[in-house]
Amino acid sequence: MAPWIPMAVLPNASVREPIAMDDIALLPPTDPRVKAAGRRQPRLLKFLRRFSDAFGQKVEPSVLMIREAAPQHFRGTSPVAGFRDAVSISVITGGRAVMVTHNSGMQRPIWAECLSIYPWMLDKFGEDLITNNSSMLGVHDLDLFRGQSVPGFSTAGIDLSDVDTPLFAELSRRWARRFGRENVEWEDRAIFRSLNMAYQASMMPGGQEATFYDIGRLITLWVSAMEILIHPGPGGGAYKSGVMDLLDSAPWCDDGLKALAHPVPKTKSTTQDRTLASLIYFRIDALRSDFMHGNDVTDEHLVTDNGTHLLHVAASLYRTALATKIGVLPPAFEDGIEFDEVKFLEKFSAYSDWKGPQRRHERAILKAMALPEGDEQ
């Protein structure tokens, strides 16, 4: 097996199976690539064994690794953070959808803290611990180290079934294009800038000190992530109408979500018929403005009529917008060609993979407005 290099550890996530792109991966400590690195640098395994929670219970961190033969620039901060953001949104948005439909996370990851990168890591020689962040630049002795997961946060188990497979596959392709070229297209830059904002929006509002206004701050970040996604580049601008246009064009399965049947204000005196998703987004955008400008906001503004929290619905809207923007679409079944069973089964499997997460978010959007699921095409 070609060598892989450990770049960071994530003690709040218990990844049970590899989540990988071609050159970068998030791995459980039992993965052969981690064990091989441990044989080359024995202190790596010692480092991984020195993590616990606040009460001394052992924690096994997940390990972020890069293929040694990968281009050197993949080891930079931005590519590593971009990978982490892509994994986070591919996992957390699905957990938020389940939170809406089941009134419970069902033990799925729903907060971005589960994929936060630990500030200390072994140096490239596998000897000392080093850190370099906005607060400090430091070196310390591994023998004195006592690593700890985030207090007040339950370590999240992550299975491959938690990963939005079609979304992550396309983000993997975009990651290689964004960070593997010198001349980066605006859209690829915007996608990972948006993912970074969405990662921050996916954080917990706070700890015991979290207030009503912390939730408003996160809602603001979700709106920002969607506006960044549609920004056309220098000289252009991003507006809520553009986000709603993108949501209206999404490949909805449910006929009720396809329908342009909901009047949404266009000007002070006119409306435009849009999808249910756009109607919800219009409300979230207005809520963002109220929080940002100090307008009067109450608890009732944060939930739909049936009590569904807009903070969680925003995640499903973002996933829908992101998937539509980057072309995560159902495979087309062509008419008028000779039937090929193998190709049909391949496309049917791809369609099933696409439909699973798509329907998960559609059910969340319908549940938010207390609407039943409709017919599908």
Side-chain angles (χ1 to χ4, degrees):
M1 176 182 292
W4 284 63
I5 300 171
M7 298 295 296
V9 296
L10 291 76
N12 306 313
S14 178
V15 174
R16 300 186 178 108
E17 301 168 89
I19 302 175
M21 298 180 182
D22 289 341
D23 292 307
I24 188 168
L26 185 61
L27 305 171
T30 55
D31 188 271
R33 286 165 284 192
V34 178
K35 291 183 175 181
R39 288 191 291 272
R40 295 193 305 273
Q41 296 182 347
R43 287 170 70 81
L44 172 65
L45 301 181
K46 182 177 182 179
F47 174 56
L48 296 177
R49 288 194 293 265
R50 298 181 77 86
F51 281 87
S52 65
D53 64 15
F55 299 95
Q57 299 298 309
K58 287 295 181 183
V59 169
E60 292 189 334
S62 300
V63 185
L64 194 156
M65 303 188 77
I66 289 180
R67 191 167 58 88
E68 187 175 57
Q72 187 72 23
H73 53 260
F74 280 174
R75 303 182 193 183
T77 300
S78 292
V80 170
F83 169 75
R84 187 278 313 278
D85 296 340
V87 173
S88 298
I89 299 308
S90 298
V91 170
I92 291 167
T93 52
R96 295 292 183 90
V98 172
M99 171 69 78
V100 171
T101 55
H102 293 74
N103 298 316
S104 167
M106 305 291 285
Q107 297 184 330
R108 295 175 66 111
I110 62 171
W111 303 113
E113 280 83 354
C114 70
L115 287 158
S116 60
I117 292 175
Y118 198 74
W120 290 90
M121 186 59 190
L122 280 179
D123 62 25
K124 65 181 180 180
F125 305 108
E127 294 294 332
D128 295 318
L129 292 182
I130 57 173
T131 188
N132 184 3
N133 56 60
S134 301
S135 172
M136 65 181 295
L137 173 65
V139 180
H140 222 300
D141 184 356
L142 174 60
D143 293 330
L144 301 177
F145 177 71
R146 299 292 184 272
Q148 187 173 305
S149 57
V150 173
F153 183 86
S154 298
T155 300
I158 303 177
D159 297 301
L160 279 181
S161 60
D162 296 321
V163 179
D164 188 327
T165 303
L167 182 68
F168 185 68
E170 181 59 24
L171 289 175
S172 298
R173 190 176 73 84
R174 297 292 186 123
W175 182 88
R177 200 164 78 182
R178 164 64 182 88
F179 298 108
R181 297 177 178 178
E182 289 187 9
N183 298 319
V184 181
E185 294 182 7
W186 175 270
E187 182 175 287
D188 291 327
R189 191 188 309 276
I191 286 167
F192 281 88
R193 184 176 175 182
S194 173
L195 285 171
N196 182 260
M197 188 68 73
Y199 171 77
Q200 296 297 327
S202 301
M203 292 283 188
M204 293 191 299
Q208 286 184 302
E209 79 288 358
T211 71
F212 170 81
Y213 302 107
D214 291 309
I215 297 173
R217 170 175 47 82
L218 296 180
I219 288 174
T220 295
L221 295 180
W222 278 120
V223 173
S224 179
M226 285 188 261
E227 290 184 344
I228 293 169
L229 192 62
I230 65 159
H231 199 292
Y239 309 97
K240 62 175 175 283
S241 59
V243 176
M244 292 189 290
D245 288 343
L246 184 62
L247 291 170
D248 289 348
S249 69
W252 302 105
C253 294
D254 191 287
D255 285 344
L257 291 173
K258 293 177 185 177
L260 300 174
H262 304 275
V264 174
K266 186 176 182 180
T267 66
K268 289 183 178 180
S269 58
T270 63
T271 62
Q272 180 177 352
D273 288 340
R274 289 191 176 272
T275 59
L276 179 64
S278 286
L279 177 66
I280 299 172
Y281 178 77
F282 184 89
R283 180 173 173 180
I284 290 174
D285 181 82
L287 188 59
R288 180 272 297 262
S289 295
D290 287 338
F291 272 110
M292 287 294 292
H293 296 104
N295 298 335
D296 184 35
V297 184
T298 65
D299 289 339
E300 289 75 17
H301 290 103
L302 292 175
V303 296
T304 62
D305 291 343
N306 69 349
T308 301
H309 210 296
L310 290 172
L311 179 64
H312 299 319
V313 183
S316 284
L317 294 182
Y318 178 76
R319 189 274 176 190
T320 301
L322 174 63
T324 304
K325 180 67 175 179
I326 66 177
V328 179
L329 304 172
F333 292 87
E334 300 178 23
D335 295 326
I337 62 173
E338 185 177 351
F339 178 75
D340 185 314
E341 182 178 7
V342 173
K343 290 183 178 179
F344 173 81
L345 291 175
E346 287 176 351
K347 283 200 171 184
F348 185 79
S349 176
Y351 177 76
S352 297
D353 289 343
W354 172 84
K355 186 177 179 181
Q358 176 70 22
R359 289 295 288 148
R360 183 180 301 124
H361 292 284
E362 290 192 16
R363 284 191 289 269
I365 293 168
L366 290 166
K367 170 73 179 297
M369 303 303 284
L371 294 176
E373 294 183 40
D375 295 330
E376 297 180 25
Q377 290 185 356

